[in-house]
């Protein structure tokens, strides 16, 4: 408790300072990250507008996984001794 009330606020104040300028790598990765966040937001809003279609796609995905689990061969490597 003592650490959370004393050292943690001090470390946060030290680590969470606002940076004035950033390098090219930060700016590039920040643009990429912002693009991912915007794309996710657009996709999420689209999915939330059509809950019935989303549920149908989920159920179809589950059914396809069950089908593939049953019919796809399980052995990736064959035993060379028994194949002769």
């Amino acid at each position: 408790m003592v650490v959370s009330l004393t050292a943690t606020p001090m470390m946060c104040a030290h680590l969470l300072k606002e940076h004035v300028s950033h390098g090219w790598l930060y700016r590039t990765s920040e643009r990429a990250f912002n693009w991912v966040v915007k794309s996710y937001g657009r996709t999420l809003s689209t999915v939330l507008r059509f809950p019935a279609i989303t549920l149908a796609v989920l159920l179809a995905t589950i059914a396809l996984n069950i089908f593939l689990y049953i019919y796809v061969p399980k052995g990736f490597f064959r035993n060379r001794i028994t194949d002769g």
Side-chain angles (χ1 to χ4, degrees):
M1 183 177 90
V2 173
V3 171
S4 353
L5 294 175
T6 57
T8 302
M10 180 184 65
M11 288 186 294
C12 286
H14 178 70
L15 294 174
L16 298 177
K17 289 181 185 174
E18 186 175 333
H19 296 283
V20 177
S21 65
H22 297 286
W24 68 270
L25 180 61
Y26 177 86
R27 290 190 304 271
T28 304
S29 63
E30 188 67 18
R31 273 194 298 265
F33 179 73
N34 287 334
W35 178 82
V36 168
V37 168
K38 282 193 281 189
S39 298
Y40 176 75
R42 282 193 310 266
T43 306
L44 183 62
S45 66
T46 302
V47 165
L48 291 177
R49 272 194 312 239
F50 304 105
I53 295 173
T54 303
L55 183 61
V57 168
L58 171 67
L59 295 175
T61 303
I62 292 171
L64 180 63
N65 275 292
I66 292 170
F67 173 79
L68 290 174
Y69 181 77
I70 292 170
Y71 288 104
V72 169
K74 307 299 183 291
F76 186 70
F77 297 105
R78 291 198 276 171
N79 189 351
R80 291 180 181 252
I81 296 172
T82 59
D83 289 343

